[in-house]
Amino acid sequence: MTVTARVLVDPSFSLGEIDPRIYGSFVEHMGRCVYDGIYDPEHETADEDGFRQDVAELVRELGPTILRYPGGNFVSGYRWEDGVGPREDRPVRRELAWKSIEPNLVGTNEFMRYCQRLGIEPMMAVNLGTRGIEAATALVEYTTLAGGTYWSDLRRAHGVEDPWDVRVWCLGNEMDGPWQLGHKTAYEYGRLAAETAVALRRVNPNLELVACGTSKPIMPTFGSWEAEVLEQSYAHVDYLSMHMYVDPDLTDDVPTLLAAGVEIDAYIDAVIASADFARARGRHSKVMPLSFDEWNVWYNSRPREIGEWPFAPDLIGDIYSFADALVVGSFINSILRRSDRVRMACLAQLVNVIAPIRTEPGGGAAWRQSTFYPFALASRFGRGESLRVGLTSARHDTSRHEDVPALDVAAVHDPETGAVTFFVVNRDVEHAVPLELATGGFAGFAGGASVEHTTLTGPSASATNSAAAPDTIAPRTAPAVPWEGAPVVVPPMSWNMIRLVPGTGTHI
Ligand code: AHR
């Protein structure tokens, strides 16, 4: 039997303005993300820095607002000085995190120019693994001071006259993980994060600093790590990070995979609770925002056979299924539902490495994975204020969850256009669900409105895009029609964007 679902929104349910930085992504010197990914000086579309413009065009369409760089695990062994100055003088090194060869042909200034040309904010990470305060302060000085000091003058000598406007700095990466170079205990890291923060702010007081939270929900130290790190650093940092990857191979079946949003919601709530515990214990007035600066689907349990010390190997180059795109949609919905606390988030990564954009090896075609679309459309239309939703929906159990709502819904109100946009994942793999949209006290629809429905469906849960068939999974938008209040039918196993716009016409 088909059960109609209902979603209620109201202006008084506002969670406040969404920070556009929740639509971030991540560029790590890893696998084929940089080399043979965004950068390929031999490519026919390469610009003067060697960046592929066909890939840059897809990045523009994807719409990330902020890009984290240069890692990831990579940053914990990185000497940033290797990546600046004349390219011919830059050293080739063994990169210890991923056991690859790093030629340092791309470094800080090239990355900054890439961001500048694409209109994307950079988000830098400093090495608190094998290095520490001195290397970090030197990098901030090199990057952000106008001149008149050793490191800022070195940047100018490297041909970059003006400082880069880099606000956000991550104090290391996943320092709770035993796999991390220079892995630390919570106390050691908390002290180092605090001391690094103090020093960095002396170099430049306009920085926003991110302390490493847990690297995954299943870490045995999750909770106690946050408590200890923040006990040492709460007053000195501006964000607490969190990371999470969903591995479809570790779920039993598609319905279980599609219920991932339940776990993402619970994880965000748990990180908030950990941060608030530290706030209460330290009697801090500041509420700690979260930086969900690595999230995605990652087939992490699959064996990796790449050998040691290759250059730009196809490392974790996951090909995403249609079902994976729905999980990405659920990640975004969970982030939107807690966008009062999650103020930055990065889809990890941008190109080739667990990425929405793929390039064929050796300069071949660039194409969009299934996961590209929920991100691109949410980044474009999920701006404004996030709304708490009142949802009534059929529920089901999965092999791991009880009582999962069939629909996963987030809603956004754009005060400029008056539009209310619903992002809806239908986790029911068999049944379409009619969804009634109740707009509460939003007055803008009284004089008539149009409804526009974009759907992402696939021939099967396991269908994928490829270079040969890049459009197997692609969204379809039905022309806008007058909205009479009738339920909108969301197909089984689908991602949907439903936009109610005051007045009539086509909007996309
Ligand atoms: O994004 C891939 C890796 O996942 C990153 O280098 C690391 O931070 C995380 O474990």
Side-chain angles (χ1 to χ4, degrees):
M1 191 186 65
T2 308
V3 182
T4 299
R6 181 173 191 267
V7 61
L8 169 68
V9 290
D10 188 89
S12 57
F13 294 175
S14 175
L15 286 164
E17 201 178 333
I18 297 162
D19 193 321
R21 286 172 169 168
I22 66 167
Y23 300 112
S25 187
F26 175 31
V27 170
E28 176 164 6
H29 282 247
M30 172 182 180
R32 297 176 54 243
C33 183
V34 174
Y35 307 111
D36 207 24
I38 60 172
Y39 172 85
D40 180 355
E42 306 297 316
H43 196 267
E44 58 191 2
T45 69
D47 68 8
E48 62 270 30
D49 277 329
F51 290 112
R52 279 178 67 159
Q53 292 309 295
D54 60 338
V55 175
E57 207 39 60
L58 288 177
V59 173
R60 269 191 199 94
E61 185 186 326
L62 182 72
T65 51
I66 191 166
L67 280 182
R68 185 164 174 257
Y69 177 86
N73 295 343
F74 169 84
V75 79
S76 295
Y78 184 47
R79 294 186 75 255
W80 66 265
E81 301 90 326
D82 291 347
V84 295
R87 274 185 168 138
E88 59 276 17
D89 296 341
R90 298 187 193 175
V92 174
R93 292 200 193 270
R94 281 188 162 193
E95 191 287 290
L96 302 181
W98 302 106
K99 296 190 176 164
S100 303
I101 287 296
E102 173 54 59
N104 285 301
L105 295 171
V106 173
T108 303
N109 291 319
E110 290 82 20
F111 178 72
M112 292 298 157
R113 261 195 299 276
Y114 190 68
C115 288
Q116 191 176 57
R117 287 188 185 148
L118 288 172
I120 303 174
E121 182 180 1
M123 174 189 202
M124 291 291 280
V126 298
N127 176 353
L128 294 187
T130 60
R131 306 188 81 190
I133 298 173
E134 190 175 348
T137 52
L139 176 58
V140 169
E141 184 183 316
Y142 179 93
T143 314
T144 69
L145 293 202
T149 64
Y150 175 80
W151 291 109
S152 57
D153 284 343
L154 185 64
R155 183 201 66 244
R156 295 170 69 202
H158 289 160
V160 182
E161 186 59 30
D162 295 326
W164 301 107
D165 185 14
V166 193
R167 297 294 165 100
V168 182
W169 293 80
C170 301
L171 301 169
N173 176 68
E174 294 190 350
M175 299 308 296
D176 61 329
W179 59 86
Q180 200 69 212
L181 290 162
H183 162 233
K184 294 182 174 40
T185 66
Y187 175 76
E188 290 165 346
Y189 172 68
R191 293 284 307 131
L192 181 58
E195 294 302 332
T196 307
V198 168
L200 293 184
R201 284 194 212 283
R202 285 200 191 152
V203 178
N204 182 339
N206 301 316
L207 307 181
E208 298 173 48
L209 302 176
V210 185
C212 294
T214 198
S215 53
K216 45 186 126 175
I218 56 162
M219 289 301 285
T221 49
F222 176 36
S224 60
W225 172 269
E226 280 75 4
E228 183 64 51
V229 167
L230 290 179
E231 173 146 7
Q232 305 306 323
S233 65
Y234 200 102
H236 302 291
V237 300
D238 304 296
Y239 297 87
L240 175 70
S241 78
M242 56 187 290
H243 293 177
M244 179 178 181
Y245 294 97
V246 169
D247 185 341
D249 284 345
L250 300 182
T251 61
D252 307 329
D253 48 34
V254 173
T256 310
L257 175 63
L258 297 188
V262 172
E263 289 160 34
I264 301 163
D265 284 343
Y267 180 45
I268 295 175
D269 285 347
V271 176
I272 290 171
S274 309
D276 289 349
F277 169 74
R279 177 184 175 218
R281 193 160 74 161
R283 286 140 180 89
H284 300 283
S285 56
K286 171 175 79 183
V287 175
M288 185 64 69
L290 306 182
S291 174
F292 201 161
D293 46 40
E294 286 187 37
W295 64 264
N296 205 348
V297 176
W298 176 1
Y299 290 78
N300 194 12
S301 53
R302 290 190 181 167
R304 293 200 268 278
E305 286 162 18
I306 51 152
E308 293 195 351
W309 316 116
F311 168 63
D314 196 4
L315 193 56
I316 64 170
D318 289 353
I319 300 298
Y320 288 120
S321 70
F322 168 62
D324 297 336
L326 304 192
V327 177
V328 163
S330 283
F331 262 109
I332 295 168
N333 282 0
S334 293
I335 290 168
L336 282 170
R337 281 192 293 264
R338 286 320 307 256
S339 59
D340 54 331
R341 288 300 287 273
V342 182
R343 306 300 289 168
M344 299 195 287
C346 301
L347 170 65
Q349 297 185 8
L350 184 65
V351 176
N352 287 333
V353 174
I354 46 172
I357 299 169
R358 286 284 298 187
T359 67
E360 294 305 286
W367 47 277
R368 302 167 191 81
Q369 296 233 51
S370 61
T371 53
F372 182 98
Y373 295 106
F375 187 99
L377 289 163
S379 176
R380 184 161 166 211
F381 293 104
R383 307 291 183 101
E385 53 182 2
S386 183
L387 302 172
R388 207 168 271 130
V389 296
L391 176 67
T392 313
S393 154
R395 291 169 172 265
H396 57 252
D397 295 344
T398 77
S399 65
R400 278 208 216 145
H401 314 87
E402 285 179 2
D403 215 25
V404 179
L407 300 187
D408 173 341
V409 183
V412 172
H413 173 237
D414 179 348
E416 276 177 30
T417 61
V420 173
T421 301
F422 299 89
F423 298 103
V424 183
V425 177
N426 185 0
R427 303 188 260 224
D428 187 324
V429 297
E430 285 171 7
H431 302 104
V433 176
L435 175 61
E436 193 186 312
L437 308 171
T439 53
F442 281 107
F445 304 109
S450 58
V451 59
E452 193 169 69
H453 187 181
T454 300
T455 49
L456 189 68
T457 55
S460 69
S462 60
T464 59
N465 287 346
S466 66
D471 299 321
T472 303
I473 298 154
R476 282 176 195 77
T477 300
V481 294
W483 183 51
E484 316 283 2
V488 175
V489 178
V490 296
M493 194 167 54
S494 61
W495 179 89
N496 303 260
M497 181 176 77
I498 303 164
R499 304 188 69 228
L500 294 184
V501 186
T504 52
T506 304
H507 314 286
I508 204 157

